[in-house]
Amino acid sequence: MDVRRLRHFVAVAETLHFGRAAELLHMTQPPLSQSIRALERELGTALFVRTKRSVALTPFAAQWLDPVRAALAAIDALPDTAERIRRGETGRLNLAFVSTADYSLLPDLVQRFRMLYPKVDLALTEATSDIQIAALLRCEVQAGIMIPPANAALPEELVYRRLMSEPLIAAVPEQWLDSGRLELTDGRLSPEAVVASPLVVFPRHVAPSFHDLVTTYYLDSGGPADIAQQAIQMQTIISLVSAGLGIALVPESLRHLARTGTCYVPLQRRPPYLDTGIVWRRDDTSPLLANLLEILPGDDAAR
């Protein structure tokens, strides 16, 4: 449908005078009348009741006027909408994240992004690193905050940038400390106490780099890990610790996850560090993604 004819219709409908409407449209009256008649033929119904002294809307035109106004307003807004899309100020950004990020950089990131880009729909999905990589390759998410693979390189289609590195600490059952089953040395958990304690940890197939970081620390501390229980959610791991099933080595930021029955203590032996970074598709040139990457912290170049 010719947008010019729709504008002509609205002008006449609002003035109820072909002459004044023509002046507002900067045209003469005959072409305006021809345009209205053409629109009426296209619609198959009359829009105006004309007499020598007056012009009135038909019942059809009275009902059609508001939808036409709304359509024209949407058309007039298209250039601004296009500019906001070009600048990444509107649209939908799908971001996945590992559960550990929920207690470190994710809350601040979400708050800053939504403050800077309130019209963007930031869709968050919690997922383990392996699931994130598969989702990125299928273009189901645009970026993922994850723990990078330790030994296996990421697919060449993806780019990784480290965002933070933090030491592991021990989450221990409070009842073990109260009963004397677990003793601290200068407020820290000794290597001997670590090795002697059953471990609650992520399954290796879900988080291989994190799993290996923890079990290697056990080996370097004097013995293999006695894995008592495995869980795929950090909240579940901490709940199992509070129930007395074992200890867990977790990122220091997990101190923010307060749970009755669980205490967080530093490790006496030099702790391992866990990297967390962001991964995205190399060919993704979306301004939405560019805006996200711009506000992210980072201590490592993209690779």
Side-chain angles (χ1 to χ4, degrees), residues 107-185:
D108 180 64
L109 169 62
V110 170
Q111 183 180 26
R112 290 176 60 201
F113 189 86
R114 286 183 169 160
M115 180 181 66
L116 292 171
Y117 306 103
K119 298 297 185 181
V120 174
D121 179 13
L122 182 61
L124 301 172
T125 302
E126 184 176 346
T128 54
S129 298
D130 58 330
I131 292 176
Q132 288 189 40
I133 291 172
L136 280 162
L137 294 175
R138 294 194 301 266
C139 299
E140 294 175 354
V141 298
Q142 288 175 270
I145 297 176
M146 67 176 64
I147 299 167
N151 300 316
L154 285 168
E156 62 179 12
E157 298 95 328
L158 303 181
V159 181
Y160 170 79
R161 191 175 89 196
R162 188 172 67 186
L163 299 177
M164 63 180 297
S165 185
E166 58 181 325
L168 297 189
I169 59 174
V172 303
E174 186 176 10
Q175 60 186 1
W176 288 14
L177 297 176
D178 293 340
S179 66
R181 174 177 175 177
L182 196 63
E183 295 184 358
L184 303 181
T185 304

Side-chain angles (χ1 to χ4, degrees), residues 60-283:
F60 170 87
Q63 294 186 57
W64 198 48
L65 179 57
D66 283 344
V68 172
R69 283 173 171 155
L72 291 175
I75 290 172
D76 291 339
L78 286 177
D80 179 64
T81 301
E83 180 62 19
R84 287 189 285 113
I85 292 173
R86 188 189 65 80
R87 295 195 301 258
E89 296 175 354
T90 189
R92 180 183 177 90
L93 178 65
N94 295 299
L95 175 66
F97 65 95
V98 290
S99 61
T100 53
D102 199 20
Y103 305 96
S104 54
L105 56 87
L106 187 67
D108 180 64
L109 169 62
V110 170
Q111 183 180 26
R112 290 176 60 201
F113 189 86
R114 286 183 169 160
M115 180 181 66
L116 292 171
Y117 306 103
K119 298 297 185 181
V120 174
D121 179 13
L122 182 61
L124 301 172
T125 302
E126 184 176 346
T128 54
S129 298
D130 58 330
I131 292 176
Q132 288 189 40
I133 291 172
L136 280 162
L137 294 175
R138 294 194 301 266
C139 299
E140 294 175 354
V141 298
Q142 288 175 270
I145 297 176
M146 67 176 64
I147 299 167
N151 300 316
L154 285 168
E156 62 179 12
E157 298 95 328
L158 303 181
V159 181
Y160 170 79
R161 191 175 89 196
R162 188 172 67 186
L163 299 177
M164 63 180 297
S165 185
E166 58 181 325
L168 297 189
I169 59 174
V172 303
E174 186 176 10
Q175 60 186 1
W176 288 14
L177 297 176
D178 293 340
S179 66
R181 174 177 175 177
L182 196 63
E183 295 184 358
L184 303 181
T185 304
D186 298 326
R188 297 172 179 269
L189 196 63
S190 68
E192 295 77 16
V194 170
V195 173
S197 301
L199 175 66
V200 182
V201 69
F202 284 109
R204 191 179 188 282
H205 71 275
V206 168
S209 55
F210 194 4
H211 185 280
D212 291 351
L213 190 68
V214 171
T215 54
T216 298
Y217 184 80
Y218 265 77
L219 290 173
D220 292 343
S221 297
D226 174 18
I227 298 177
Q229 186 66 48
Q230 300 184 77
I232 63 173
Q233 297 291 334
M234 187 57 71
Q235 300 93 322
T236 304
I237 289 176
I238 298 303
S239 293
L240 295 174
V241 170
S242 70
L245 270 69
I247 71 169
L249 301 190
V250 299
E252 188 176 40
S253 57
L254 256 290
R255 290 183 184 274
H256 297 139
L257 176 56
R259 183 63 56 86
T260 301
T262 299
C263 292
Y264 298 98
V265 297
L267 299 170
Q268 186 181 52
R269 183 174 172 271
R270 187 180 185 278
Y273 276 71
L274 180 72
D275 288 347
T276 303
I278 186 165
V279 179
W280 68 94
R281 294 190 306 277
R282 194 178 300 276
D283 62 355

